[in-house]
């Protein structure tokens, strides 16, 4: 039985539901059978209290990171000597804030969402003055602290009728407020204020801070909660929650899974990614002994790191949306049995827009929606806006929520499910491992897939892999490292293979054809125009590009274009890159280094149009020298044959 339940049994006003919760926790079995209780369903927001909770069977809060907690009213009594004809003029409310203490700190107390502080005698400052007293405890276990504001008074404080020094909230951070009522009802005419607290709450076990864990460094030990530290990493919080919290040898919170049933390295790896991305977890979850709530609470924590858990053969693993290193390639000759691939997700599932909701400190810790996150490339591919609202219950940073939303959007359009039957060489691989694909008959070529389920046929050693695609470029796009959104993943078609075949056949010839090409048939002269800032603009008229292998690569028309920003008194080559040799509207640029003007390994698609020399400021420009067939103009030291001085 938990300490919270023990206190509830002693004090009449404590909520008795704690006993049932403690009994439910102690019934969690050890080993992989316990892991089987948890399913990786999408997390659902808890019924988070918008006011202090009171009454029977109320859930106990578990506070994570830095957040506001309203708590659970566990005791309220009227007491004190008569004052101004008011009997029992003091009302004292005791509010439990979070289990699994001691917490790091209780930084701020609020009354009706306004900060209120207390002096060393427990008197409130400001308007409340002599009408409000307060005290807090951080939840040491076992507790040597007594939550009793009257003990702070050096004078003659009012005594309690029920609360006493024996009522110690071991392992529970709490706050207590005494409110003085007088005949004039100076304060509290409409009842007590809505009290709340902001703090840095529970501590967690981080294997990376444990020298006994491979690769760890520090004094934390998983079997000694007094060594644990404050963490805002949602993966570390979830790992601690799966291990469970114990006080005085009794389970009080979480799953209580044995160490051997958890793939700890998978959690450590995901925690490192969360730290690198700056993803944090702040908020409150609740426990009341209901079915599925422990798994849901853990899922909410992992959601802040774009992660989730899965039961892989009785081992609890952490999976995460992050750039994956492919461990092998699945080829056609690896397939030894049935396969199936869903070429496109149902239209109801695939979305392109998310409206995230977060907890905002700027809005008094309320849940507020932020700007919609849209992927324009997916909107274009789906020909309409497909939007979904998403509450990130334990996220307080709008940037983090937007990043998570992008990854959630792409998760709805990944190809899933994919099921392949492969040979026994795939037995050692685990859920979460990634492969490259080379399966042209199935339409999967050059796509990364990740294992989401694995089944081994013990009769013949074949392995059935449940897979889904993983669009690698979505991660950089989500984190703002690139402005280019990757396209929606699709299966390759016959047209794609025709294009690939063409590339395979003509690719080796392309560089040679480009290096032997030249510009011809200019509709007018190349002109140079001096700009107001002293730079020059080169205008290139429409012309024809003639390639060195006209049977394979016919001539193409190139539109008129221009290059700006040319410095005075400088010789340039005007160039463009055209890998498919299509001509049309090209983007030209000036090149001052002859090495950069010709086809090379660095510039395999470089097309040179002409050389120009800009005059001195105010001088008379020339008309440019078009690039001729290589080797035909001995006076051109920038020709395509590479005759560079």
């Amino acid at each position: 039985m938990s300490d919270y339940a023990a206190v509830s049994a002693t004090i009449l006003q404590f909520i008795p539901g704690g006993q049932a919760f403690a009994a439910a926790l102690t019934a969690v079995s050890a080993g992989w059978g316990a892991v089987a209780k948890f399913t990786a369903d999408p997390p659902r927001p808890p019924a988070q209290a918008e006011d202090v909770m009171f009454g029977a069977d109320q859930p106990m809060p578990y506070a994570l990171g830095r957040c506001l907690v309203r708590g659970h009213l566990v005791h309220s009594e009227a007491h004190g000597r008569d004052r101004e004809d008011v009997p029992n003029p003091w009302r004292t409310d005791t509010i439990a804030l979070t289990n699994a203490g001691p917490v790091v700190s209780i930084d701020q107390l609020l009354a009706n969402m306004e900060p209120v502080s207390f002096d060393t005698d427990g008197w409130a400052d400001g308007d409340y003055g002599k009408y409000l007293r307060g005290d807090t405890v951080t939840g040491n276990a076992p507790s040597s602290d007594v939550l009793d504001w009257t003990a702070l008074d050096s004078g003659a404080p009012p005594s309690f009728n029920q609360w006493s020094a024996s009522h110690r909230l071991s392992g529970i951070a709490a706050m207590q407020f005494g409110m003085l009522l007088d005949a004039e009802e100076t304060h509290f005419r409409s009842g007590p204020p809505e009290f709340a607290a902001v703090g840095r709450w529970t501590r967690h076990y981080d294997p990376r801070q444990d020298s006994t864990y491979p690769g760890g460094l520090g004094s934390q030990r998983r079997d000694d909660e007094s060594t644990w530290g404050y963490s805002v990493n949602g993966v570390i919080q979830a790992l601690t929650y799966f291990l469970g919290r114990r006080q005085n040898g009794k389970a009080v919170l979480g799953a209580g899974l044995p160490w051997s049933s958890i793939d700890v390295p998978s959690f450590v790896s995901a925690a490192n990614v969360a730290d690198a991305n700056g993803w944090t977890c702040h908020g409150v979850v609740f426990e009341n002994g209901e079915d599925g709530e422990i798994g849901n609470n853990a899922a909410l924590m992992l959601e802040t790191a774009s992660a989730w858990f899965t039961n892989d053969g009785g081992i609890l693993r952490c999976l995460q949306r992050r750039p994956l290193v492919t461990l092998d390639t699945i080829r056609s000759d690896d397939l030894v049995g049935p396969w199936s691939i869903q070429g496109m997700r149902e239209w109801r599932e695939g979305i392109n827009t998310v409206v995230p909701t977060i907890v905002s400190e700027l809005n008094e810790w309320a849940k507020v929606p932020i700007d919609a996150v849209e992927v324009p490339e997916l909107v274009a591919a789906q020909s309409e806006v497909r939007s979904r609202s998403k509450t990130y219950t334990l996220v307080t940073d709008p940037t983090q929520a937007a990043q998570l939303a992008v990854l959630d959007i792409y998760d709805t359009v990944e190809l899933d499910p994919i099921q392949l039957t492969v040979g026994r060489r795939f037995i050692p691989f685990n859920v979460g491992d990634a492969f490259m694909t080379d399966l042209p008959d199935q339409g999967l070529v050059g796509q990364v897939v990740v294992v989401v389920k694995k089944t081994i046929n013990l009769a013949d050693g074949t392995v059935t892999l449940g897979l889904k695609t993983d669009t690698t470029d979505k991660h950089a796009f989500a984190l703002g490292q690139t402005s280019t959104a990757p396209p929606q993943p699709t299966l390759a078609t016959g047209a794609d293979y025709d294009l690939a075949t063409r590339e395979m056949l003509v690719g080796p010839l392309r560089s040679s054809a480009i290096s032997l090409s030249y510009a011809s048939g200019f509709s007018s002269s190349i002109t140079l125009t001096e700009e107001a800032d002293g730079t020059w603009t080169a205008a290139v008229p429409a012309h024809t590009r003639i390639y060195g292998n006209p049977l394979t690569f016919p001539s193409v028309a190139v539109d008129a274009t221009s290059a700006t920003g040319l410095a005075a008194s400088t010789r340039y080559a005007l160039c463009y890159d055209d890998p498919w040799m299509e001509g049309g509207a090209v983007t030209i640029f000036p090149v001052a280094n002859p090495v950069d003007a010709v086809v090379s390994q660095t510039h395999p698609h470089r097309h040179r149009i002409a050389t120009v020399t800009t005059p001195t400021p105010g001088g008379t420009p020339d008309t440019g020298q078009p690039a001729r067939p290589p080797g035909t103009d001995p006076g051109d030291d920038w020709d395509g044959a590479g005759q560079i001085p």
Side-chain angles (χ1 to χ4, degrees), residues 361-522:
E361 181 176 1
L362 297 177
N363 292 274
E364 297 186 345
W365 300 93
K367 292 181 180 179
V368 297
I370 61 175
D371 292 342
V373 177
E374 182 182 273
V375 180
E377 285 76 3
L378 296 185
V379 174
Q382 297 165 358
S383 302
E384 62 180 347
V385 174
R386 298 179 185 174
S387 180
R388 182 181 300 168
S389 297
K390 170 72 174 179
T391 298
Y392 296 99
T393 306
L394 302 180
V395 173
T396 58
D397 178 16
T399 299
Q400 178 182 350
Q403 294 169 347
L404 297 174
V406 171
L407 295 176
D408 284 340
I409 288 172
Y410 272 98
D411 194 57
T412 69
V413 298
E414 297 287 1
L415 301 183
D416 177 34
I418 300 171
Q419 184 169 300
L420 305 177
T421 305
V422 294
R424 64 187 61 183
R425 78 180 187 89
F426 289 90
I427 290 178
F429 296 105
N430 295 314
V431 169
D433 289 341
F435 301 97
M436 185 60 69
T437 56
D438 184 13
L439 302 169
D441 290 343
Q442 288 72 31
L444 283 174
V445 176
Q447 296 203 55
V448 176
V449 293
V450 60
V451 180
V452 296
K453 186 177 181 180
K454 184 184 80 170
T455 305
I456 301 174
N457 187 329
L458 299 180
D460 57 12
T462 60
V463 180
T464 301
L465 296 177
L467 306 159
K468 68 185 298 183
T469 57
D470 185 78
T471 304
T472 302
D473 293 341
K474 69 185 178 185
H475 305 287
F477 177 67
L479 296 175
Q481 298 169 351
T482 176
S483 59
T484 303
Q488 180 171 323
T490 59
L491 295 177
T493 64
D496 297 322
Y497 292 131
D498 290 343
L499 186 62
T501 301
R502 175 193 171 197
E503 172 63 16
M504 181 178 65
L505 293 174
V506 306
L509 304 176
R510 181 186 297 124
S511 294
S512 175
I514 294 176
S515 64
L516 295 173
S517 69
Y518 59 96
S520 179
F522 287 86

Side-chain angles (χ1 to χ4, degrees), residues 19-30:
Q19 296 93 328
F21 166 65
L25 279 181
T26 57
V28 175
S29 59

Side-chain angles (χ1 to χ4, degrees), residues 613-624:
T613 301
T614 55
T616 58
T620 302
D622 63 18
T623 58

Side-chain angles (χ1 to χ4, degrees), residues 138-223:
T138 57
N140 289 317
S143 178
S144 59
D145 301 323
V146 178
L147 186 59
D148 182 356
W149 67 262
T150 65
L152 302 175
D153 197 329
S154 57
S159 59
F160 287 114
N161 296 325
Q162 297 173 315
W163 192 265
S164 72
S166 298
H167 300 136
R168 304 193 181 198
L169 300 174
S170 181
I172 299 175
M175 56 187 179
Q176 188 181 73
F177 298 98
M179 294 157 280
L180 178 61
L181 308 177
D182 57 18
E184 287 76 24
E185 295 183 336
T186 307
H187 283 279
F188 319 121
R189 181 175 299 129
S190 301
E194 294 183 358
F195 293 112
V198 176
R200 295 187 304 146
W201 301 106
T202 48
R203 305 167 193 266
H204 308 274
Y205 171 66
D206 188 341
R208 301 172 299 176
Q209 307 298 321
D210 183 350
S211 296
T212 66
Y213 177 80
L217 180 63
S219 60
Q220 291 193 27
R221 300 294 182 265
R222 73 171 186 266
D223 56 354

Side-chain angles (χ1 to χ4, degrees), residues 571-641:
R571 190 179 187 193
Y572 290 102
L574 303 179
C575 305
Y576 65 92
D577 290 326
D578 186 4
W580 292 108
M581 304 156 74
E582 296 174 330
V586 299
T587 300
I588 68 170
F589 45 85
V591 170
N593 188 340
V595 174
D596 296 327
V598 297
V599 173
S600 65
Q601 185 174 1
T602 306
H603 311 294
H605 311 128
R606 186 59 45 92
H607 292 59
R608 183 167 68 92
I609 301 174
T611 55
V612 296
T613 301
T614 55
T616 58
T620 302
D622 63 18
T623 58
Q625 178 184 357
R628 299 185 180 183
T632 63
D633 184 4
D636 181 10
D637 55 6
W638 285 33
D639 71 25

Side-chain angles (χ1 to χ4, degrees), residues 34-98:
V35 175
K37 291 177 176 288
F38 304 109
T39 57
D41 295 327
R44 61 185 186 279
Q48 186 165 355
E50 301 299 331
D51 197 357
V52 65
M53 297 179 292
F54 59 91
D57 274 339
Q58 291 298 317
M60 189 64 184
Y62 179 42
L64 307 162
R66 179 182 178 275
C67 62
L68 177 138
V69 181
R70 291 181 170 85
H72 183 178
L73 179 64
V74 294
H75 183 75
S76 180
E77 70 168 87
H79 61 100
R81 298 178 298 276
D82 292 359
R83 187 174 187 272
E84 299 178 1
D85 297 326
V86 177
N88 297 318
W90 286 93
R91 169 178 169 170
T92 293
D93 287 353
T94 302
I95 301 171
L97 295 170
T98 182

